[in-house]
Amino acid sequence: MKNNMFAGFGTVFTYNFKNHVSSKKYIGVTIACALVLIIGIIVFMAAILKPKEEVIETIDKVYVTNETELGIPSYSAFAKMAEDDVTAAIEFEKLDVTAKEFIEASETGEYIVVNQIKTEDGYVLQVIPGPDCHINSNTLNNLGQMMSTYFRGYVLQMTGLSEEALYQVLLPIGFDVTNINEEEVNEGKELFVVVSTFVMILVIYILVCVYGQQVCTDVSLEKTSKLTEQLLVSVSPYSLVAGKILASIASSILQFIIWIASIFVGVFAGNEISIRLYSLESSGVSIVFGMIKEWIEGSNFGPAGIVIGILIVFAGIILFLVIAGMAGSTVTKPEEASTVQGVYMIPIMISYFLAIFAIVKYMGNTPIVYHMIPFVSAFVTPGAMMAGALPIWVGITSLAISLLLSAILLVAAAKIYKALIFYNGNKLKMKDFFRIVFK
């Protein structure tokens, strides 16, 4: 065996990487998932972008009854001033009987009665659809709101106010709570950071579950299949474990990138197909991107923040998968291979809860200390960097810490692997592994 600690690393990495990406299983799963993503997104977009026939419900006639000391306003005159033709076309008929008397005497159930009553709290307009009336509740609610506005204007008009004064009284009044001593809060930026954090949690968790087991199994393969004696003739244990871990990680990330690219292909292909299929004038993708741009207006998006954010995502994935490889290095017997595969999930679960706590407590304004914790930074830092919510130095520091810890754990995994190559004794305890690493 060569004296260089990482002698033969390139050979091990290249061999394992080619072995992974050229296997029928890898190619089949990659292509199958990519096709499912592309076709599925195209079908989904074609379904959601399909123009729906707009059905405008019209109300031809409304019967108005009165049980107040006031008269019945000229709703028809008010309606004719409306901007839409549907409202202007409604015919309002005043009745001299009560609503109950009209309903009992009606020969058909296709009617809408609006009854004006007075209660202790004020005036109420009761909208009463007949049993055979097929107008939906939203349309009836809109009718009630419209008539309530007209009725209020009628009541105010009886006080002798001029038309100009009446117009001013009926104007809606809103309010806004503003603290001039605080910096303006960009809600779009905060929302983007919160949403991206949950996306990172979901993506990284799935990736670690899918690829972590593969990395763990690959590292322990030679030890449990008794091929170690032959491999150690040409390469060092450090090269063997580092090459296998990084090759597995590289093939996993390559597969992930292909699937992400498939999503973009599906989105843009689905958009173009939908435009041509339905003869749409506007692009669905353009509308969505326009909404996102408006949503995060002023978020200081920049290429540096985006690149650093993406690198931190991959650095986090690498860190968690290195831990999976480290777990595989502890295997001493074939029967132990399956029992250690859950060990690498402990850091991601702890990080998961810390990230959830940070995002719920601080709502997009996570303190810098969370971005310096390697495991947690993979979840909370990328979105904040992309949105421009963090200085560049924070992102670079967070990235450097994650990569440095990955390198340290990779060396620790190699030490454990080397120490346990021919070990067949009793099951080791945690203190034994610490002794090996710090020896």
Side-chain angles (χ1 to χ4, degrees):
M1 184 169 57
K2 299 179 182 180
N3 294 326
N4 187 358
M5 178 186 293
F6 289 101
F9 168 79
T11 303
V12 175
F13 176 85
T14 303
Y15 171 79
N16 282 277
F17 181 75
K18 288 182 177 179
N19 191 41
H20 277 302
V21 299
S22 62
S23 67
K24 292 181 179 179
K25 180 180 178 181
Y26 182 93
I27 295 173
V29 170
T30 304
I31 294 176
C33 289
L35 290 175
V36 168
L37 286 170
I38 293 173
I39 296 173
I41 291 173
I42 290 174
V43 173
F44 175 74
M45 291 194 66
I48 63 173
L49 292 178
K50 182 179 180 180
K52 296 180 180 179
E53 295 183 3
E54 188 176 357
V55 179
I56 301 176
E57 287 190 314
T58 58
I59 300 175
D60 298 324
K61 195 169 187 178
V62 176
Y63 298 96
V64 185
T65 60
N66 181 41
E67 296 183 23
T68 70
E69 74 281 3
L70 302 176
I72 297 176
S74 179
Y75 288 111
S76 297
F78 280 112
K80 285 183 174 23
M81 293 187 294
E83 295 180 357
D84 61 292
D85 296 334
V86 175
T87 303
I90 300 176
E91 179 185 350
F92 293 90
E93 181 177 334
K94 301 178 182 180
L95 300 178
D96 295 329
V97 297
T98 65
K100 182 178 180 181
E101 291 172 343
F102 172 79
I103 293 171
E104 291 175 349
S106 178
E107 297 178 357
T108 175
E110 297 180 357
Y111 57 78
I112 299 176
V113 178
V114 176
N115 186 33
Q116 300 177 176
I117 64 172
K118 185 176 182 181
T119 65
E120 295 179 356
D121 298 325
Y123 296 100
V124 176
L125 300 186
Q126 296 177 320
V127 181
I128 309 171
D132 298 327
C133 177
H134 301 294
I135 303 298
N136 65 47
S137 59
N138 288 334
T139 303
L140 294 175
N141 286 334
N142 292 336
L143 173 67
Q145 291 176 1
M146 176 195 71
M147 293 183 66
S148 297
T149 302
Y150 296 160
F151 186 78
R152 177 176 294 277
Y154 171 73
V155 173
L156 291 172
Q157 198 172 35
M158 295 180 65
T159 62
L161 291 174
S162 64
E163 291 186 4
E164 177 65 24
L166 182 61
Y167 173 78
Q168 295 295 332
V169 169
L170 293 177
L171 284 176
I173 299 175
F175 70 93
D176 182 26
V177 179
T178 304
N179 190 338
I180 60 175
N181 295 321
E182 293 182 358
E183 294 184 4
E184 184 177 354
V185 177
N186 190 317
E187 295 181 357
K189 179 194 292 185
E190 291 185 355
L191 189 57
F192 177 83
V193 174
V194 172
V195 171
S196 63
T197 300
F198 283 107
V199 170
M200 288 300 103
I201 290 173
L202 179 63
V203 169
I204 294 177
Y205 182 82
I206 293 175
L207 286 177
V208 173
C209 287
V210 173
Y211 296 125
Q213 184 176 356
Q214 174 185 311
V215 173
C216 183
T217 303
D218 286 346
V219 173
S220 62
L221 180 62
E222 283 80 10
K223 295 169 69 175
T224 57
S225 60
K226 304 304 181 184
L227 296 175
T228 307
E229 294 88 344
Q230 300 177 26
L231 291 169
L232 292 179
V233 174
S234 56
V235 298
S236 70
Y238 294 99
S239 299
L240 182 61
V241 69
K244 290 188 70 64
I245 291 176
L246 294 180
S248 296
I249 291 173
S251 62
S252 302
I253 291 178
L254 175 62
Q255 191 177 57
F256 175 64
I257 292 174
I258 292 173
W259 289 342
I260 293 296
S262 300
I263 293 175
F264 281 99
V265 171
V267 169
F268 286 101
N271 181 67
E272 290 300 319
I273 291 173
S274 299
I275 289 176
R276 300 179 186 277
L277 183 63
Y278 303 126
S279 300
L280 301 175
E281 295 181 0
S282 59
S283 165
V285 173
S286 299
I287 294 173
V288 171
F289 282 140
M291 292 172 61
I292 294 175
K293 182 180 179 182
E294 185 177 339
W295 183 33
I296 54 178
E297 188 74 27
S299 293
N300 299 323
F301 269 53
I306 293 174
V307 171
I308 293 174
I310 293 173
L311 290 177
I312 291 173
V313 173
F314 287 118
I317 295 172
I318 291 171
L319 177 59
F320 285 115
L321 293 183
V322 166
I323 294 175
M326 193 175 181
S329 299
T330 65
V331 174
T332 57
K333 299 177 182 179
E335 58 269 20
E336 294 178 4
S338 59
T339 60
V340 300
Q341 290 176 358
V343 175
Y344 59 80
M345 293 304 298
I346 296 176
I348 194 172
M349 293 305 298
I350 295 174
S351 305
Y352 166 83
F353 286 113
L354 282 174
I356 292 293
F357 170 79
I359 208 66
V360 171
K361 181 176 177 60
Y362 300 105
M363 293 304 294
N365 295 311
T366 312
I368 290 181
V369 65
Y370 285 90
H371 301 286
M372 298 301 162
I373 303 174
F375 301 103
V376 182
S377 64
F379 299 132
V380 301
T381 308
M385 284 302 306
M386 293 179 185
L390 289 174
I392 296 296
W393 71 266
V394 174
I396 293 175
T397 305
S398 176
L399 176 62
I401 292 174
S402 295
L403 293 177
L404 179 61
L405 182 59
S406 296
I408 293 172
L409 293 179
L410 192 62
V411 173
K415 286 186 175 182
I416 295 173
Y417 190 92
K418 178 182 178 181
L420 302 183
I421 287 176
F422 302 111
Y423 183 80
N424 290 311
N426 296 327
K427 188 175 181 179
L428 298 176
K429 297 180 180 180
M430 187 62 68
K431 63 180 182 179
D432 298 318
F433 292 115
F434 278 107
R435 189 180 300 114
I436 293 171
V437 171
F438 296 105
K439 183 177 179 180

